[in-house]
Amino acid sequence: MASITSPSHSKSLTLSTGHTYAYIHHPPTPQHQTTILFLHGFPSSSYDWRHQIAFFASQGYGILAPDLLGYGDTSKPVSLDAYKANAMAAEIIEILDHEGQEKVHAVGHDMGCGLLSRLADYYPERLASCVFLAVPYANPGGRFDLGMVNQMSRQVLGYERFGYLGFFVGEEAAGVLDRFGESFFTLFYPHDPDLWISHVGPTGAMELWLHDDARAPLASYLTEEEKAKHQQIMHGNHRFALNWYRALVGNINAEDELRAGLEPALKMPTLMVSPQPSRLEFPGVEENMRVVAQDLTLKHVSTKGHWLQLEAREEVNGILERFLESVDGAELR
């Protein structure tokens, strides 16, 4: 949430669509001239980038970290059409235009990686590089079949990995997440990431956890104050943020992407940062990234959880800084 993460650098802009976006903006120093665009996932906001914003701003990098549509201080439309990927990508570009940013290095995490994928497809000329944290590039034009995905995960991983999506797209999900916010937080940001194998992935498991108001130990990379701020940001707003999942499961983007003739290709330098191999990770992710990315760098952090920018913050910052230096240096040569 921009107003909480960095109040002195929080801005607000009403776009041509009528949506108002809140975002954090640090202009680059004259010596640097490099700006990083951070795209968060669920259940989150620009607050999840607090460690990266502080680090890279202190190094002289420019920062653009929006609360994405349905989150934080940004507009929260009810209509699912507002959450189409091409529309949201165009809104991000309008923010870049407003701030005079012709080209940025874009970093995505979780559902933000899906939006980053479409930015790279629709507006490749605006991205100096792409960085995917934990979640890979999503091919355009494909249709998402939740039943098939869960069947495949049972075959490959030995358990359902995405059963929670059926709950997320249901009518009762937002109210349950608000009512059992403490239980949900400790489940989604667990001390032990393997908790997801039994209580997030299998169909119906998350609902049981929440209705029992179960709790898990707080992740070691979070403080009680950070947990309280996160819950303040998300309480009452889950119903809007969950529209991103309804858009995914409802396949509202497939026809637009097929009509646009998008090809699965990343022509700009690309970095994929992954956790350590575990039962949570699908095999073949790196191989698939090599197929679509012409200039690919692959890195792993030492932790095995999903929230790399939080739990492995120093590693992520170091990996990202070295990557950006290599890209910027190559452009100058």
Side-chain angles (χ1 to χ4, degrees):
M1 192 166 181
S3 61
I4 287 179
T5 309
S6 187
S8 61
H9 289 89
S10 176
K11 300 181 74 172
S12 181
L13 178 66
T14 299
L15 305 179
S16 59
T17 58
H19 295 151
T20 298
Y21 272 72
Y23 57 96
I24 295 163
H25 179 231
H26 289 259
T29 61
Q31 298 87 352
H32 219 293
Q33 295 302 317
T34 298
T35 293
I36 311 171
L37 170 68
F38 290 103
L39 303 170
H40 67 80
F42 174 91
S44 189
S45 70
S46 58
Y47 185 61
D48 260 11
W49 297 113
R50 56 195 178 274
H51 304 299
Q52 287 66 48
I53 292 168
F55 175 79
F56 285 101
S58 72
Q59 301 299 309
Y61 286 85
I63 303 292
L64 276 171
D67 292 336
L68 295 176
L69 199 67
Y71 291 93
D73 295 320
T74 290
S75 290
K76 300 172 179 64
V78 174
S79 170
L80 194 58
D81 280 346
Y83 297 86
K84 282 195 170 187
N86 57 358
M88 293 192 295
E91 291 180 328
I92 297 298
I93 295 299
E94 191 170 343
I95 296 172
L96 300 188
D97 290 342
H98 176 78
E99 295 296 346
Q101 295 296 324
E102 182 179 348
K103 225 171 193 182
V104 294
H105 297 279
V107 183
H109 174 256
D110 189 72
M111 295 295 282
C113 289
L115 180 55
L116 175 56
S117 300
R118 296 296 81 82
L119 277 170
D121 292 336
Y122 285 112
Y123 303 98
E125 72 283 356
R126 305 300 297 270
L127 302 184
S129 70
C130 288
V131 180
F132 296 86
L133 298 185
V135 174
Y137 170 82
N139 285 6
R143 298 194 67 83
F144 186 87
D145 185 325
L146 180 57
M148 185 178 297
V149 168
N150 277 325
Q151 181 181 359
M152 182 178 68
S153 69
R154 287 194 297 269
Q155 294 172 346
V156 175
L157 300 177
Y159 70 99
E160 284 188 352
R161 178 69 174 83
F162 298 103
Y164 66 94
L165 291 181
F167 166 59
F168 276 179
V169 301
E171 291 295 325
E172 297 181 355
V176 173
L177 296 182
D178 284 341
R179 181 182 174 191
F180 299 103
E182 179 89 8
S183 176
F184 178 54
F185 186 89
T186 64
L187 177 61
F188 239 57
Y189 294 83
H191 178 75
D192 180 6
D194 284 349
L195 198 68
W196 285 14
I197 295 173
S198 54
H199 295 292
V200 174
T203 299
M206 180 180 286
E207 296 97 301
L208 290 174
W209 174 278
L210 295 173
H211 283 292
D212 286 344
D213 200 15
R215 312 290 173 90
L218 181 65
S220 59
Y221 52 84
L222 291 168
T223 66
E224 288 290 341
E225 180 183 0
E226 289 173 323
K227 181 183 73 173
K229 285 184 177 179
H230 181 282
Q231 291 178 302
Q232 174 188 344
I233 290 167
M234 290 304 301
H235 185 78
N237 294 320
H238 288 104
R239 71 187 185 103
F240 306 105
L242 287 171
N243 276 328
W244 287 63
Y245 289 100
R246 297 185 184 105
L248 171 67
V249 176
N251 290 295
I252 70 171
N253 295 301
E255 291 185 10
D256 291 335
E257 293 163 7
L258 291 171
R259 191 180 304 114
L262 301 181
E263 295 292 336
L266 294 168
K267 298 179 181 179
M268 67 291 293
T270 302
L271 169 66
M272 173 81 196
V273 185
S274 302
Q276 286 294 302
S278 73
R279 288 187 61 201
L280 290 167
E281 303 303 313
F282 267 97
V285 168
E286 294 183 355
E287 290 75 11
N288 291 337
M289 286 294 293
R290 289 191 181 97
V291 172
V292 298
Q294 296 181 2
D295 180 3
L296 178 65
T297 301
L298 296 168
K299 295 292 183 180
H300 286 82
V301 296
S302 61
T303 58
K304 66 175 186 176
H306 178 68
W307 307 98
L308 308 187
Q309 74 273 41
L310 299 177
E311 60 186 304
R313 65 195 68 165
E314 293 182 359
E315 292 179 70
V316 167
N317 291 347
I319 291 170
L320 181 53
E321 184 179 34
R322 289 188 291 273
F323 173 73
L324 298 182
E325 288 175 347
S326 70
V327 173
D328 290 340
E331 290 183 351
L332 291 174
R333 288 195 293 271

